[in-house]
mmCIF file of all heavy atoms in Angstrom:
data_model
loop_
_atom_site.group_PDB
_atom_site.id
_atom_site.type_symbol
_atom_site.label_atom_id
_atom_site.label_comp_id
_atom_site.label_asym_id
_atom_site.label_seq_id
_atom_site.Cartn_x
_atom_site.Cartn_y
_atom_site.Cartn_z
ATOM 1 N N ILE A 286 -11.687 1.175 -34.739
ATOM 2 C CA ILE A 286 -10.894 0.160 -34.036
ATOM 3 C C ILE A 286 -10.982 0.369 -32.501
ATOM 4 O O ILE A 286 -11.140 -0.578 -31.752
ATOM 5 C CB ILE A 286 -9.478 0.221 -34.522
ATOM 6 C CG1 ILE A 286 -9.379 -0.226 -35.983
ATOM 7 C CG2 ILE A 286 -8.599 -0.676 -33.640
ATOM 8 C CD1 ILE A 286 -8.009 -0.046 -36.618
ATOM 9 N N LYS A 287 -10.893 1.602 -32.115
ATOM 10 C CA LYS A 287 -10.977 1.914 -30.667
ATOM 11 C C LYS A 287 -12.304 1.455 -30.083
ATOM 12 O O LYS A 287 -12.377 0.816 -29.050
ATOM 13 C CB LYS A 287 -10.801 3.454 -30.519
ATOM 14 C CG LYS A 287 -11.024 3.898 -29.068
ATOM 15 C CD LYS A 287 -10.876 5.434 -29.008
ATOM 16 C CE LYS A 287 -11.231 5.921 -27.611
ATOM 17 N NZ LYS A 287 -11.137 7.442 -27.554
ATOM 18 N N ILE A 288 -13.425 1.710 -30.808
ATOM 19 C CA ILE A 288 -14.722 1.351 -30.321
ATOM 20 C C ILE A 288 -14.866 -0.176 -30.268
ATOM 21 O O ILE A 288 -15.392 -0.761 -29.319
ATOM 22 C CB ILE A 288 -15.818 1.952 -31.221
ATOM 23 C CG1 ILE A 288 -15.820 3.487 -31.062
ATOM 24 C CG2 ILE A 288 -17.224 1.336 -30.851
ATOM 25 C CD1 ILE A 288 -16.751 4.231 -31.993
ATOM 26 N N ALA A 289 -14.304 -0.818 -31.329
ATOM 27 C CA ALA A 289 -14.406 -2.291 -31.363
ATOM 28 C C ALA A 289 -13.698 -2.941 -30.225
ATOM 29 O O ALA A 289 -14.189 -3.880 -29.580
ATOM 30 C CB ALA A 289 -13.855 -2.775 -32.707
ATOM 31 N N VAL A 290 -12.459 -2.417 -29.943
ATOM 32 C CA VAL A 290 -11.681 -3.024 -28.832
ATOM 33 C C VAL A 290 -12.384 -2.717 -27.527
ATOM 34 O O VAL A 290 -12.482 -3.579 -26.663
ATOM 35 C CB VAL A 290 -10.269 -2.412 -28.809
ATOM 36 C CG1 VAL A 290 -9.520 -2.822 -27.565
ATOM 37 C CG2 VAL A 290 -9.478 -2.777 -30.046
ATOM 38 N N ASP A 291 -12.933 -1.485 -27.361
ATOM 39 C CA ASP A 291 -13.573 -1.124 -26.111
ATOM 40 C C ASP A 291 -14.811 -1.992 -25.836
ATOM 41 O O ASP A 291 -15.040 -2.427 -24.699
ATOM 42 C CB ASP A 291 -14.002 0.329 -26.216
ATOM 43 C CG ASP A 291 -14.461 0.885 -24.854
ATOM 44 O OD1 ASP A 291 -13.968 0.446 -23.834
ATOM 45 O OD2 ASP A 291 -15.314 1.779 -24.868
ATOM 46 N N LYS A 292 -15.571 -2.287 -26.876
ATOM 47 C CA LYS A 292 -16.843 -3.039 -26.702
ATOM 48 C C LYS A 292 -16.705 -4.521 -26.715
ATOM 49 O O LYS A 292 -17.413 -5.269 -26.052
ATOM 50 C CB LYS A 292 -17.851 -2.531 -27.724
ATOM 51 C CG LYS A 292 -18.298 -1.099 -27.568
ATOM 52 C CD LYS A 292 -19.409 -0.781 -28.513
ATOM 53 C CE LYS A 292 -19.938 0.654 -28.325
ATOM 54 N NZ LYS A 292 -20.472 0.837 -26.988
ATOM 55 N N ALA A 293 -15.739 -4.987 -27.500
ATOM 56 C CA ALA A 293 -15.666 -6.433 -27.740
ATOM 57 C C ALA A 293 -14.698 -7.178 -26.781
ATOM 58 O O ALA A 293 -14.905 -8.331 -26.431
ATOM 59 C CB ALA A 293 -15.227 -6.739 -29.164
ATOM 60 N N VAL A 294 -13.633 -6.462 -26.340
ATOM 61 C CA VAL A 294 -12.573 -7.149 -25.622
ATOM 62 C C VAL A 294 -12.488 -6.687 -24.155
ATOM 63 O O VAL A 294 -12.458 -7.501 -23.248
ATOM 64 C CB VAL A 294 -11.219 -7.020 -26.282
ATOM 65 C CG1 VAL A 294 -10.155 -7.750 -25.495
ATOM 66 C CG2 VAL A 294 -11.323 -7.523 -27.736
ATOM 67 N N ALA A 295 -12.422 -5.380 -23.945
ATOM 68 C CA ALA A 295 -12.196 -4.892 -22.619
ATOM 69 C C ALA A 295 -13.127 -5.397 -21.542
ATOM 70 O O ALA A 295 -12.732 -5.721 -20.462
ATOM 71 C CB ALA A 295 -12.227 -3.324 -22.633
ATOM 72 N N PRO A 296 -14.432 -5.575 -21.876
ATOM 73 C CA PRO A 296 -15.377 -6.087 -20.862
ATOM 74 C C PRO A 296 -15.041 -7.494 -20.388
ATOM 75 O O PRO A 296 -15.468 -7.898 -19.359
ATOM 76 C CB PRO A 296 -16.749 -6.040 -21.543
ATOM 77 C CG PRO A 296 -16.618 -4.985 -22.579
ATOM 78 C CD PRO A 296 -15.195 -5.113 -23.037
ATOM 79 N N LYS A 297 -14.303 -8.271 -21.204
ATOM 80 C CA LYS A 297 -13.944 -9.627 -20.815
ATOM 81 C C LYS A 297 -12.876 -9.630 -19.733
ATOM 82 O O LYS A 297 -12.629 -10.649 -19.086
ATOM 83 C CB LYS A 297 -13.469 -10.393 -22.035
ATOM 84 C CG LYS A 297 -14.512 -10.551 -23.152
ATOM 85 C CD LYS A 297 -14.022 -11.408 -24.282
ATOM 86 C CE LYS A 297 -14.987 -11.379 -25.466
ATOM 87 N NZ LYS A 297 -16.362 -11.733 -25.109
ATOM 88 N N PHE A 298 -12.192 -8.541 -19.523
ATOM 89 C CA PHE A 298 -11.202 -8.401 -18.496
ATOM 90 C C PHE A 298 -11.801 -7.607 -17.373
ATOM 91 O O PHE A 298 -12.362 -6.530 -17.569
ATOM 92 C CB PHE A 298 -9.945 -7.740 -19.058
ATOM 93 C CG PHE A 298 -9.240 -8.505 -20.059
ATOM 94 C CD1 PHE A 298 -9.583 -8.419 -21.419
ATOM 95 C CD2 PHE A 298 -8.221 -9.367 -19.730
ATOM 96 C CE1 PHE A 298 -8.965 -9.186 -22.358
ATOM 97 C CE2 PHE A 298 -7.565 -10.148 -20.685
ATOM 98 C CZ PHE A 298 -7.924 -10.056 -22.008
ATOM 99 N N ASP A 299 -11.740 -8.122 -16.166
ATOM 100 C CA ASP A 299 -12.429 -7.535 -15.032
ATOM 101 C C ASP A 299 -11.733 -6.319 -14.517
ATOM 102 O O ASP A 299 -11.208 -6.281 -13.414
ATOM 103 C CB ASP A 299 -12.581 -8.610 -13.912
ATOM 104 C CG ASP A 299 -13.782 -8.322 -13.046
ATOM 105 O OD1 ASP A 299 -14.423 -7.292 -13.258
ATOM 106 O OD2 ASP A 299 -14.015 -9.107 -12.125
ATOM 107 N N MET A 300 -11.676 -5.269 -15.381
ATOM 108 C CA MET A 300 -11.011 -4.041 -15.062
ATOM 109 C C MET A 300 -11.831 -2.883 -15.618
ATOM 110 O O MET A 300 -12.580 -3.048 -16.601
ATOM 111 C CB MET A 300 -9.603 -4.006 -15.658
ATOM 112 C CG MET A 300 -8.717 -5.150 -15.245
ATOM 113 S SD MET A 300 -7.149 -5.164 -16.147
ATOM 114 C CE MET A 300 -6.345 -3.710 -15.504
ATOM 115 N N ASP A 301 -11.721 -1.706 -15.014
ATOM 116 C CA ASP A 301 -12.341 -0.528 -15.581
ATOM 117 C C ASP A 301 -11.292 0.149 -16.451
ATOM 118 O O ASP A 301 -10.297 0.753 -15.969
ATOM 119 C CB ASP A 301 -12.822 0.436 -14.469
ATOM 120 C CG ASP A 301 -13.924 -0.195 -13.648
ATOM 121 O OD1 ASP A 301 -14.780 -0.793 -14.249
ATOM 122 O OD2 ASP A 301 -13.932 0.033 -12.437
#
Side-chain angles (χ1 to χ4, degrees):
I286 294 174
K287 174 182 174 181
I288 293 172
V290 173
D291 190 32
K292 292 186 178 299
V294 180
K297 299 184 188 305
F298 294 86
D299 205 357
M300 304 171 68
D301 293 323

